[in-house]
Amino acid sequence: SLPAYWDLVARLDLGRAARAAKSNDEARLAEALTRVTGGETARATVLLDSLTRRPSTDSTVRRVSLVVLAGLLHTEHRWSELRALPTVPGIRRDSADLAGVEAWAAAFALVRAPRARFRSDSAIFPIVLSPLGVPMLPVEINGRRFLFWIDTGASLTMISADVARVAGIAPLSADSLEAVTAVGRLRVLPAVIRALRVGPLDWSDAPAMIVGSREFTVADSAAAGHSSRVQIDGIVGWDVLRQLDVRIDH
């Protein structure tokens, strides 16, 4: 017999989850998740939105659909739709939470959608390792060159306050938001990068976070036998990387 539906969903064994579904709602959620993982985000959004907005939807399915839909809209920078998501019983939405989707959606509500243009079908460029062994990519921001760390876990591109100043990037607001990281919450300022170039990709009007330069330094305890600090210019986020088919060989 098949394992329980939610166990299969948790393991992203979605084909078997669809067969184990005990209701139409569970089957539709399995289909939506299958489309998300397959890159069919337009159809997935329609399915998730319908599951989220229908009060008769199974309560667990509805909550999971809302969480996945919010993440999808955030990744695709669909801020107006993110702000318009319904309230679902069982999910606390705090408008005062500076790391919440409401705060981020409000900050970027009037920003136009980013645009991608590819100068070539493919490109090869060197990967540089940071002193900590983290791969870094050469990037251009508003015509200035920097080295950014690669982080597939960052939902948006992040830049240090020093880089923002040099590249002429001003925050959208003086009011700070918060980003949730592996080591806790980080105070950031929302911003837009008018021209970001990564390899063959020209990414215009890219949403970004400005991080204080002090917060964007990390300890390198192995440096020549003594502790030192490594300054990070910025981080290329998943919103940029997902535009590319990337193969890293180092």
Side-chain angles (χ1 to χ4, degrees):
S1 62
L2 287 172
Y5 171 83
W6 291 109
D7 289 341
L8 293 166
V9 168
R11 300 204 300 263
L12 291 181
D13 190 347
L14 301 173
R16 297 176 73 200
R19 296 194 296 275
K22 295 181 178 179
S23 68
N24 185 53
D25 289 342
E26 289 185 352
R28 294 178 72 206
L29 176 60
E31 179 188 350
L33 295 175
T34 299
R35 292 183 183 275
V36 170
T37 58
E40 300 177 56
T41 56
R43 178 57 182 160
T45 300
V46 172
L47 287 167
L48 293 168
D49 188 70
S50 66
L51 288 169
T52 298
R53 294 185 182 281
R54 197 175 71 244
S56 60
T57 299
D58 173 272
S59 60
T60 303
V61 170
R62 198 177 181 203
R63 289 194 297 270
V64 172
S65 297
L66 178 66
V67 171
V68 176
L69 180 58
L72 193 57
L73 295 176
H74 186 284
T75 298
E76 296 189 340
H77 308 319
R78 295 159 65 174
W79 309 112
S80 297
E81 293 172 69
L82 190 55
R83 294 185 76 186
L85 287 177
T87 299
V88 171
I91 292 187
R92 179 174 175 268
R93 294 176 63 181
D94 184 358
S95 60
D97 182 4
L98 296 180
V101 294
E102 287 86 356
W104 281 95
F108 290 109
L110 301 180
V111 174
R112 59 183 176 182
R115 301 177 307 283
R117 183 178 70 88
F118 290 90
R119 300 187 313 279
S120 62
D121 292 335
S122 63
I124 298 175
F125 44 95
I127 291 290
V128 180
L129 293 182
S130 76
L132 300 180
V134 178
M136 299 189 295
L137 285 176
V139 304
E140 279 189 26
I141 295 180
N142 297 342
R144 305 295 292 265
R145 294 189 175 186
F146 305 96
L147 286 174
F148 276 26
W149 287 22
I150 299 173
D151 184 358
T152 57
S155 59
L156 294 178
T157 292
M158 307 173 76
I159 59 175
S160 74
D162 288 342
V163 167
R165 188 162 43 250
V166 169
I169 299 170
L172 293 174
S173 168
D175 297 328
S176 62
L177 298 177
E178 291 182 349
V180 179
T181 72
V183 294
R185 293 190 171 212
L186 192 65
R187 287 274 178 163
V188 298
L189 292 170
V192 171
I193 301 174
R194 295 304 175 193
L196 172 63
R197 175 171 289 185
V198 181
L201 171 66
D202 285 338
W203 190 235
S204 303
D205 296 321
M209 312 176 195
I210 299 176
V211 181
S213 296
R214 176 178 293 183
E215 289 76 17
F216 240 12
T217 61
V218 292
D220 179 13
S221 58
H226 63 276
S227 179
S228 66
R229 308 292 294 178
V230 176
Q231 182 69 47
I232 304 172
D233 284 346
I235 293 173
V236 178
W238 178 243
D239 60 326
V240 174
L241 294 174
R242 68 189 293 268
Q243 308 297 320
L244 306 165
D245 290 326
V246 180
R247 177 180 296 175
I248 299 176
D249 182 7
H250 71 88

